[in-house]
Amino acid sequence: MTSNQLRRGVGIQAKMLAIILPLIAAPMLILAGVGFYTANREAANSNTRYLAQREADLRSLAENPGIRSYFNNAKYGLVEEAEIARQELQMSLARFIERSNSGGQIYSQARYLDHQGLEVAKAADSKVPNAATDVAVETFFDRVKTLKPDQTYLSPDAPLRVFAIPVHQRREGQPPAFMGAVALDFAYSLSEFQRTTSVILRTFAFSTAFGMGVALLLTVLRVRQFTNPIRRLADAANRIAGGERAIRVANDSHDEIGQLAGAFNGMAARLEADEDAIKRKIAETRTLYEVAQEISAQVHLEPTLKLIVERARHLLEAEVGLLALREGSADSFAVKAVSGSPGELAATLHVKTGEGLIGQVAASSQAVIVDDYLEEYPDSPFRQVIRESGLRSAVAVPLKVRDALTGVLLVTSPTRAKFNDADRELLSALADHASIAIENARLLEQARQHAEQLEARVEERTRELQEANRRIEQTSRHKSEFLANMSHELRTPLNAIIGFSEVLSDGILGDLQPKHQEYVQDIHSSGQHLLSLINDILDLSKVEAGRMELDVAKFDVGAAINNAITLVRERAARHGVKLNITVDEHLAPFAGDERKFKQILLNLLSNAVKFTRHNGDVSVSASATVDGIQVAVSDSGIGISPENQQAIFEAFHQVSTGG
């Protein structure tokens, strides 16, 4: 044996060991892991059950009625009754310690702590100490006070741990009252649990290592028996890869290696045939791709259908090709394209689902190969047509678009049993491309039809819009005429009212009493404000254009506020609403549109008076800020609900009067 062979043999052994050893080691490791996990989990469950028992004892002590009796008596100063309840509670804790520790030392002490952290009752090792200790400064009591009812506190892992639970007195309609806490100090064998886990881990580690060592030894011995046969197979494989198709591997073994040798021998015999088949498949695939590209390039339906049947017939070297499409949503199919010479009747067939070959494909949505149509379809209604056309064998495949059957593609030949499974697969592949091309052609035709309809509709809508524009222009003229007339009709009497109020105010017709003079000034101010509102309302061209110009000038904010108050004072008096004004006397003149300012303020004041109940208050304040002046209007009315506070700033939006 040469050095190359030795190195190659070692390589085979190493590879086999690399495959086999994980298969042996993995189950052993898994079993070891499962065993360790199970034992460890059982130890953890035992620890969990131990803590659960301690918690159950703690909750049982917390339900002692003596706690509530002591708390209530102490709360109301009943000293003697509280002392009796405390002694009973302490004796109950002592009995609990004695009973629990009868089988072994578990609890070192049990305590009831009042709401201030003072040990009211305490028992330890069957004894009842007299001295009370204040534990309010201990960490666990601070934690217990923050717990909700039924929650518990457990101190960190240690040989001696504390389990505590708060005690609350439930009160109807009020939060529970904290009466104190019950605490249990118990022994916790953490080191024993850790020692048990360590022993389990070492035991399973040793068992696993020993088992894996024995398995490794046996595996190496067995692998050596397979080295020579595998090496011979490797040499044979290299020679086959080098082109020696006639190579054979001699092996009289009947195991898997012998079967592998037989497979090698068969592989060499089939390789030449497979190469020829692959070359033929490549040629068919290339041809199919070219045909698919040619079909996909078509944009009209009829040329697309014609091209599909011609290419299908030439691709399978058939005599006749037919393509039948579903007629609308009915269960019938009509031949839409023909290639070859099937006869006049065959080219005009209408087939229902289930009838003949086309009907069978339509019913099953599966490709079908027919070796002899006259023998396989003796009851077909198209038997006479097929006999006259001289057709015998055929292959038909469904045309599908999004899993919906749209048609059937069929090629036929006068030769019996001409087509095989490879022909069926080739025609099915062509059918997939054909289905997409047919659907695209249909969609393009529909798009053209929709475009024509849309164009007609656009022309119709254009005429309608022109007529609507004409009507809008006419309406706009009527509106302008109406606004002009209304402007004149409103301003004329309003100017007369303002003029008469000025005459009366100037005393031309005689002096007025102070109260009358005040009313006349109110009439004049209201008339001026109403005239400005009419000017704003009638200036629709600015509103429609989204533009409202401001007349900016400096004005006295206090005077503007007093003017607005004057306009709502009478209404407030009728509603019994008190008006309060607070204006900073150091306010400087403000630059803005005084008319708009008064209009906004008047709207706010009107709403405030409107929605304020009798004997309510409406207040107006003005003060200087860093950025300018702040004016606020407040009232004791129903206010505006939070969900409507942002909506009131939207254009033409009004909230309900409910708040």
Side-chain angles (χ1 to χ4, degrees), residues 312-578:
R313 182 170 67 90
H314 292 298
L315 191 62
L316 271 67
E317 299 178 355
E319 300 297 327
V320 177
L322 297 108
L323 193 152
L325 294 180
R326 185 188 292 274
E327 296 180 306
S329 59
D331 288 336
S332 61
F333 295 79
V335 175
K336 297 295 185 180
V338 177
S339 177
S341 303
E344 295 184 7
L345 188 58
T348 59
L349 287 178
H350 288 264
V351 184
K352 294 183 179 179
T353 302
E355 292 181 346
L357 177 57
I358 295 177
Q360 179 185 353
V361 174
S364 64
S365 295
Q366 300 293 328
V368 176
I369 298 177
V370 176
D371 292 335
D372 194 322
Y373 188 93
L374 297 178
E375 292 181 2
E376 297 180 25
Y377 293 88
D379 299 329
S380 172
F382 313 109
R383 184 179 178 84
Q384 184 62 30
V385 177
I386 298 300
R387 179 183 289 110
E388 293 177 357
S389 62
L391 302 177
R392 299 290 297 277
S393 60
V395 57
V397 296
L399 299 174
K400 295 181 180 180
V401 176
R402 293 183 291 274
D403 295 331
L405 184 69
T406 59
V408 177
L409 179 60
L410 170 73
V411 294
T412 65
S413 173
T415 304
R416 187 182 184 280
K418 175 179 176 57
F419 305 105
N420 53 32
D421 291 339
D423 296 323
R424 179 185 60 189
E425 294 177 0
L426 186 59
L427 190 61
S428 296
L430 177 62
D432 292 338
H433 297 285
S435 300
I436 298 174
I438 292 172
E439 182 68 11
N440 291 339
R442 281 179 168 176
L443 292 175
L444 287 173
E445 287 193 358
Q446 292 177 3
R448 284 193 292 270
Q449 293 176 359
H450 289 322
E452 294 174 357
Q453 295 175 359
L454 182 60
E455 185 177 356
R457 183 61 177 166
V458 168
E459 292 179 358
E460 180 182 355
R461 291 295 296 166
T462 301
R463 291 192 297 270
E464 293 177 356
L465 289 174
Q466 290 174 348
E467 178 64 20
N469 289 334
R470 187 187 62 78
R471 294 177 181 176
I472 291 173
E473 292 176 358
Q474 184 178 4
T475 302
S476 178
R477 289 195 301 272
H478 292 166
K479 180 188 70 174
S480 300
E481 295 174 359
F482 169 76
L483 291 177
N485 293 333
M486 187 176 69
S487 174
H488 176 74
E489 295 297 332
L490 290 176
R491 285 192 178 95
T492 299
L494 186 57
N495 287 328
I497 293 173
I498 294 173
F500 286 134
S501 65
E502 291 176 349
V503 170
L504 293 175
S505 179
D506 293 340
I508 297 176
L509 301 179
D511 294 334
L512 299 176
Q513 296 181 4
K515 192 66 175 179
H516 293 164
Q517 181 69 26
E518 181 180 352
Y519 286 157
V520 169
Q521 290 178 354
D522 289 347
I523 292 171
H524 183 268
S525 298
S526 298
Q528 290 289 355
H529 183 70
L530 181 58
L531 181 60
S532 67
L533 292 179
I534 292 173
N535 290 334
D536 289 342
I537 294 173
L538 294 180
D539 195 6
L540 291 180
S541 61
K542 296 180 180 179
V543 176
E544 291 175 353
R547 223 173 31 248
M548 179 59 69
E549 298 178 358
L550 297 177
D551 185 11
V552 179
K554 290 188 176 182
F555 64 92
D556 188 346
V557 175
I561 293 175
N562 289 327
N563 183 264
I565 289 292
T566 300
L567 299 178
V568 299
R569 182 180 289 112
E570 186 64 26
R571 184 177 182 182
R574 291 198 305 269
H575 286 76
V577 176
K578 181 180 179 182

Side-chain angles (χ1 to χ4, degrees), residues 270-317:
R270 292 192 300 269
L271 186 57
E272 186 175 0
D274 291 343
E275 287 178 347
D276 293 339
I278 291 173
K279 291 178 181 178
R280 185 173 61 254
K281 193 67 176 179
I282 292 174
E284 292 177 352
T285 303
R286 184 183 298 109
T287 304
L288 179 61
Y289 174 77
E290 294 173 354
V291 171
Q293 292 294 105
E294 186 179 6
I295 292 174
S296 300
Q298 300 296 319
V299 295
H300 297 285
L301 183 58
E302 290 186 5
T304 300
L305 300 179
K306 184 66 174 177
L307 183 61
I308 290 172
V309 293
E310 288 180 355
R311 293 297 180 264
R313 182 170 67 90
H314 292 298
L315 191 62
L316 271 67
E317 299 178 355

Side-chain angles (χ1 to χ4, degrees), residues 587-622:
L587 285 180
F590 179 72
D593 191 323
E594 182 178 5
R595 185 159 56 88
K596 296 291 189 300
F597 176 84
K598 290 194 293 184
Q599 179 181 346
I600 295 171
L601 183 59
L602 181 59
N603 289 338
L604 294 174
L605 289 171
S606 298
N607 282 336
V609 172
K610 177 180 179 181
F611 295 108
T612 301
R613 297 183 180 89
H614 188 71
N615 294 330
D617 295 324
V618 173
S619 301
V620 182
S621 63

Side-chain angles (χ1 to χ4, degrees), residues 73 90 92 198 219 236 290 443 516 564 654:
N73 290 327
Q90 188 157 271
S92 175
S198 177
T219 301
E290 294 173 354
L443 292 175
H516 293 164
Q654 180 178 2

